[in-house]
Amino acid sequence: MSTKDTSNSPTKPEAASPIVLAQLPYAENELEPVITAKTMSFHYGKHHKTYVENLNKLIAGTEYADLSLEKIITSTAGKPEKTAIFNNAAQTWNHTFYWKSMTPKGGGEPPAALKQKIEAAFGSVDACKKELASTAVSQFGSGWAWLVLDGGLLKVVKTANADLPLTTSMKPLLTIDVWEHAYYLDCQNRRADYVNGVLDKLINWEFALQNAN
Ligand SMILES: [Fe+2]
């Protein structure tokens, strides 16, 4: 390893500020039967972990090494030469947000303050869930379905691959991962079964409300 130049602002050693793999907010088996511990062990323990590890390798010793994850994402978005950093940073962020978008005792009725906003935008909670489900199922290939606030109004949008609303003016409230690695071990090709299971049993409306405030 080369000697650090300490003549200007203090430079942290390369390993001093890595992006950290966020802890799961629940045990790996707590989302069963919709998402099995086996899926969680691969999805969190391999896929998410690998995005974090790849990101740390890619940013080590670069201008991105000391930036927050959000800042890395927004400063590499739309730059073709930074695609690898953007993809791994965005996937790191997306997965942490996705884990929080679910909870073992999720689904059911949203809290009143969120329910009002949902009814204003979609007519009913069921209509909102239907739009989230159809958007998640219709995403061609890998990507994400999101409930977002756009100019104060709730909307459902989808993004491909690692893309995310953070690079737009929309504020993400919750997300559903529709990459095959999210459901293939449990549901094989039946993405709709996975998505409906998440919406009925796991979706964390409280988290969405926190993000809306
Ligand atoms: Fe994923």
Side-chain angles (χ1 to χ4, degrees):
M1 187 131 323
S2 63
T3 308
K4 288 278 179 195
D5 175 5
T6 54
S7 56
N8 291 318
S9 60
T11 311
K12 292 181 188 172
E14 284 177 8
S17 57
I19 301 296
V20 174
L21 175 65
Q23 284 205 320
L24 271 183
Y26 31 74
E28 287 189 348
N29 65 356
E30 280 189 282
L31 301 187
E32 292 190 339
V34 178
I35 299 175
T36 60
K38 187 174 183 187
T39 288
M40 290 300 295
S41 73
F42 280 93
H43 199 176
Y44 174 70
K46 305 280 185 203
H47 291 281
H48 191 184
K49 182 166 179 270
T50 301
Y51 291 129
V52 176
E53 289 172 354
N54 286 344
L55 175 62
N56 282 319
K57 283 181 204 155
L58 286 163
I59 63 174
T62 74
E63 65 198 285
Y64 302 104
D66 290 325
L67 299 185
S68 68
L69 183 58
E70 288 79 4
K71 192 75 189 153
I72 295 171
I73 291 167
T74 53
S75 45
T76 55
K79 295 183 180 163
E81 73 282 11
K82 303 295 182 195
T83 299
I85 295 178
F86 172 80
N87 283 341
N88 284 284
Q91 285 294 79
T92 295
W93 192 94
N94 287 345
H95 282 90
T96 302
F97 196 78
Y98 167 61
W99 306 132
K100 292 178 180 172
S101 298
M102 299 183 290
T103 180
K105 297 217 183 322
E109 284 287 293
L114 181 64
K115 194 175 172 188
Q116 275 184 351
K117 288 181 199 286
I118 287 176
E119 287 174 347
F122 302 97
S124 68
V125 174
D126 267 356
C128 173
K129 284 169 67 179
K130 281 204 176 92
E131 189 163 339
L132 271 165
S134 63
T135 300
V137 170
S138 66
Q139 166 56 30
F140 185 77
S142 297
W144 302 82
W146 304 84
L147 181 65
V148 298
L149 261 182
D150 185 13
L153 265 187
L154 287 180
K155 263 171 71 173
V156 170
V157 298
K158 58 188 172 184
T159 59
N161 300 317
D163 282 346
L164 70 176
L166 280 194
T167 57
T168 71
S169 59
M170 294 183 290
K171 189 174 181 189
L173 304 190
L174 59 79
T175 194
I176 303 173
D177 187 344
V178 294
W179 285 57
E180 281 189 344
H181 65 220
Y183 61 88
Y184 211 83
L185 291 175
D186 298 333
C187 300
Q188 292 78 51
N189 59 319
R190 302 185 307 278
R191 185 190 285 183
D193 288 359
Y194 151 74
V195 168
N196 286 318
V198 169
L199 287 167
D200 288 341
K201 305 268 196 248
L202 302 177
I203 206 72
N204 189 347
W205 296 122
E206 288 286 349
F207 178 63
L209 178 60
Q210 285 165 26
N211 291 320
N213 292 329

